[in-house]
């Protein structure tokens, strides 16, 4: 029988009938690869022909023992997990190569081991001696973590079955090799099979597993997105190479809030927790500067202040640049369009650069007003007062829409020494002490309040 083959995108896992240069599901170029289809056997009889086993049903009120989470003591890590590690859960930790995944997870494994959880660290990339060297650097040589260097899935499952740890780390899922699957390690079918086997094994045996997945730019190796749907929790470890800050972000969590972040700093002795991220993201501000605005944001359950920076310059190009780091480019175009059509402030013929300081990435619409403020401040070369934070969502009509958790944002700003806020008029908040809130109903009013009458 001729072997069936399929074309799969190694970035998002979408399957295609034929090869194409670009995956139309995720937009990635050069990521579609041909692979042998997983089932190549003869078609099975229809399901009605042979009876299955009857499944036991239960109702929603059935009492289970409450979830017992285990905390490792690295508070930033525990919080991103939703308050600790849930037994028998599968967690995916994705991130660029070299960002610090192995470092973070070795630290977490050591911390769990010191709390009495049996922890095993399986590396498919490094030899035990290399991991020991890393442990030495991190000051963790005394931690009772067991190490293994292996890539054969069958061996790993047998070992885990014999050892019965509470916590196992597989670093990385792309190096694992299932010998019953006919394709190279790192291919979509190998990565999917390995992840499926490990997660079902984890559920059956009550082991919590962490799968490490490198985010890949190269189509030959499957990225972590192809297994996101199989696991309970998906965390991405991100940060700029040049910055020492690292952010662990929950993008999916069956046992806690998604969008929670943990902030770390990469030091010579591993990742250190940053318990007050606002102070860190704002640390380099001392005097007023045009184009710089402090946004009072919420990341997960925690308020975080970040600096938004904009630069506006005369363009020498026919179609001016719109460069964004840490925010959505589409949203920037929208804000520019609202400024132009509703407030008569044009950015035509000007290059616009927008940057979120500290390597942070923001997705909240509440940052709209702070972005508009930074753009206007850069365009007018007019600095906002250094004691003021800004937040609010902008609608297409130019009106400022209410946003959630205004109280928490203001509390965080007060804690860091800010004394005023520019915010939508519709927010509910009772200010205390000397904190002033300038409530505004639309973007035009905001511009007049801050910049006065301007010529467009
Ligand atoms: P690593 O955890 O190996 O990254 P990943 O597993 O995501 O590929 O981290 C590698 C980088 O971290 C490397 O460039 C060196 C740096 N590093 C430190 O700065 N301090 C440390 O204590 C350690 C262990 C690594
Ligand atoms: Mg690694």
């Amino acid at each position: 029988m001729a072997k069936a083959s399929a074309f799969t995108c190694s970035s998002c896992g979408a399957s295609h009938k034929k090869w194409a240069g670009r995956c139309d599901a995720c937009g990635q170029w050069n990521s579609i690869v041909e692979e042998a289809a997983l089932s190549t056997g003869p078609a099975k009889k229809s399901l009605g022909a042979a009876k299955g086993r009857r499944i036991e049903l239960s109702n929603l009120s059935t009492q289970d023992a409450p979830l017992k989470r285990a905390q490792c003591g690295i508070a930033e890590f525990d919080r991103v997990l939703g308050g600790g590690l849930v037994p028998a859960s599968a967690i995916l930790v994705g991130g660029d190569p070299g960002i610090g995944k192995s470092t973070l997870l070795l630290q977490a494994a050591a911390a769990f081991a010191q709390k009495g959880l049996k922890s095993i660290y399986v590396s498919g990339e490094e030899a035990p001696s290399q991991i020991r060297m890393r442990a030495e650097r991190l000051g963790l040589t005394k931690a009772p973590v067991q190490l293994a260097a292996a890539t054969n899935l069958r061996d790993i499952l047998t070992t885990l079955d014999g050892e019965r740890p509470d916590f196992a780390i597989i670093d990385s899922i792309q190096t694992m090799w299932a010998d019953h699957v006919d394709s190279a390690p790192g291919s979509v079918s190998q990565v999917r099979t390995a992840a499926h086997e490990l997660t079902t094994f984890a559920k059956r045996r009550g082991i919590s597993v962490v799968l490490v997945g490198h985010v890949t730019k190269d189509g030959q190796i499957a990225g972590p997105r192809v297994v996101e749907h199989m696991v309970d929790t998906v965390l991405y470890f991100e940060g700029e190479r040049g910055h020492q800050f690292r952010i662990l972000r929950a993008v999916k969590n069956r046992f806690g809030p998604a969008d929670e972040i943990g902030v770390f700093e990469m030091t010579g002795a591993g990742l250190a927790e940053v318990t007050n991220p606002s102070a860190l993201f704002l640390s380099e501000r001392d005097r007023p500067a045009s184009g710089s605005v402090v946004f009072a944001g919420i990341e997960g359950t925690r308020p975080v202040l970040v600096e938004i920076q904009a630069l506006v310059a005369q363009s020498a190009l026919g179609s001016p640049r719109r460069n964004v780091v840490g925010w959505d480019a589409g949203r920037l175009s929208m804000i520019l369009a609202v400024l132009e059509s509703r407030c008569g402030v044009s950015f035509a013929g000007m290059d616009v650069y927008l940057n979120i300081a500290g390597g942070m990435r923001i997705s909240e619409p509440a940052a709209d007003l702070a972005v508009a403020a930074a753009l206007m401040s850069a365009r007018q070369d007019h600095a906002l007062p250094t004691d003021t934070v800004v937040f609010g969502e902008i609608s297409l009509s130019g009106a400022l829409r209410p946003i959630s958790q205004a109280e928490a944002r203001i509390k965080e700003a007060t804690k860091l020494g800010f004394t005023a806020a520019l915010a939508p008029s519709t927010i509910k908040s009772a200010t205390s002490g000397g904190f002033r809130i300038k409530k505004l109903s639309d973007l035009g009013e905001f511009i007049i309040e801050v910049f006065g009458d301007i010529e467009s």
Side-chain angles (χ1 to χ4, degrees):
M1 195 185 79
K3 223 175 204 178
S5 65
F7 294 89
T8 317
C9 170
S10 53
S11 172
C12 71
S15 50
H16 298 268
K17 283 211 178 68
K18 57 183 177 28
W19 189 85
R22 180 169 184 264
C23 170
D24 50 19
C26 70
Q28 184 88 5
W29 286 93
N30 249 340
S31 61
I32 296 178
V33 287
E34 182 175 8
E35 279 189 7
L38 271 183
S39 72
T40 50
K44 297 254 163 59
K45 278 194 211 137
S46 97
L47 279 181
K51 267 198 169 165
R53 183 175 57 87
R54 199 178 159 134
I55 302 165
E56 208 173 296
L57 304 172
S58 61
N59 50 32
L60 288 172
S61 64
T62 309
Q63 292 284 317
D64 291 314
L67 275 183
K68 264 196 82 184
R69 293 176 182 266
Q71 275 95 19
C72 68
I74 304 176
E76 296 291 299
F77 190 74
D78 289 334
R79 202 194 36 254
V80 175
L81 287 177
L85 183 72
V86 174
S89 59
I91 300 156
L92 171 71
V93 177
D96 289 332
I99 202 78
K101 300 180 294 298
S102 304
T103 308
L104 176 71
L105 291 169
L106 188 61
Q107 286 181 268
F112 277 121
Q114 273 155 352
K115 294 266 164 168
L117 269 72
K118 184 168 176 180
S119 306
I120 293 188
Y121 186 102
V122 181
S123 177
E125 301 184 344
E126 291 166 298
S129 62
Q130 280 174 302
I131 303 170
R132 275 194 289 273
M133 231 162 69
R134 187 196 300 261
E136 213 161 284
R137 212 168 138 185
L138 302 173
L140 298 174
T141 40
K142 297 267 181 321
V145 179
Q146 288 179 295
L147 302 179
T151 54
N152 186 313
L153 194 61
R154 203 179 289 274
D155 298 348
I156 292 169
L157 291 178
T158 307
T159 311
L160 293 181
D161 204 18
E163 295 283 336
R164 293 296 169 96
D166 301 298
F167 185 56
I169 291 167
I170 308 294
D171 187 1
S172 64
I173 190 73
Q174 284 115 336
T175 53
M176 295 298 132
W177 178 60
D179 52 20
H180 63 292
V181 176
D182 233 6
S183 56
S187 61
V188 176
S189 32
Q190 280 286 355
V191 167
R192 277 202 177 142
T193 309
H196 177 74
E197 297 274 342
L198 283 160
T199 49
T200 47
F201 174 81
K203 304 264 163 218
R204 220 170 40 233
R205 295 284 186 262
I207 300 171
S208 301
V209 287
V210 174
L211 311 177
V212 175
H214 293 294
V215 171
T216 56
K217 301 277 180 287
D218 169 16
Q220 293 312 306
I221 296 178
R225 283 185 59 195
V226 303
V227 300
E228 275 184 357
H229 61 286
M230 293 181 202
V231 295
D232 300 310
T233 304
V234 177
L235 310 178
Y236 276 94
F237 203 38
E238 45 194 54
E240 301 281 320
R241 274 295 172 80
H243 284 293
Q244 68 272 43
F245 316 128
R246 300 280 183 274
I247 291 164
L248 185 66
R249 187 184 295 272
V251 297
K252 161 182 169 181
N253 196 348
R254 287 186 184 145
F255 309 115
D259 272 342
E260 192 67 82
I261 64 164
V263 185
F264 297 88
E265 188 175 357
M266 182 59 102
T267 68
L271 290 153
E273 288 181 73
V274 175
T275 43
N276 187 354
S278 300
L280 178 112
F281 292 127
L282 298 178
S283 58
E284 280 147 38
R285 278 172 53 91
D286 40 8
R287 57 201 164 73
S290 67
S292 152
V293 168
V294 176
F295 165 56
I298 300 278
E299 290 290 338
T301 55
R302 182 167 56 169
V304 178
L305 302 192
V306 280
E307 184 188 343
I308 296 181
Q309 304 167 339
L311 178 67
V312 174
Q314 281 305 327
S315 180
L317 304 168
S319 54
R321 279 175 195 280
R322 301 284 182 254
N323 258 15
V324 197
V325 179
W327 208 52
D328 182 43
R331 198 98 192 157
L332 173 66
S333 308
M334 188 199 98
I335 304 281
L336 291 172
V338 174
L339 280 168
E340 177 141 12
S341 325
R342 305 289 178 192
C343 313
V345 183
S346 168
F347 286 79
M350 298 178 196
D351 289 334
V352 174
Y353 301 87
L354 188 80
N355 178 36
I356 311 296
M360 191 58 183
R361 193 163 53 79
I362 300 180
S363 52
E364 254 196 304
D368 290 353
L369 188 60
V371 168
L375 293 170
M376 286 303 299
S377 162
R379 185 184 185 276
Q380 301 304 115
D381 193 18
H382 175 128
L384 262 71
T386 45
D387 66 347
T388 302
V389 296
V390 181
F391 56 86
E393 181 179 343
I394 299 174
S395 67
L396 290 180
S397 65
L400 300 186
R401 310 196 54 225
I403 43 105
S404 61
Q405 304 190 52
E407 296 268 357
R409 298 173 202 263
I410 288 164
K411 223 165 117 193
E412 177 78 0
T414 313
K415 208 168 83 192
L416 281 137
F418 290 85
T419 57
L422 292 160
S425 56
T426 39
I427 59 162
K428 284 194 260 350
S429 70
T431 47
S432 56
F435 200 90
R436 291 164 286 123
I437 302 181
K438 183 72 206 165
K439 294 188 174 182
L440 305 152
S441 60
D442 64 41
L443 194 55
E445 192 187 340
F446 167 81
I447 291 174
I448 292 170
E449 169 69 26
V450 180
F451 304 100
D453 267 334
I454 57 166
E455 31 180 312
S456 40

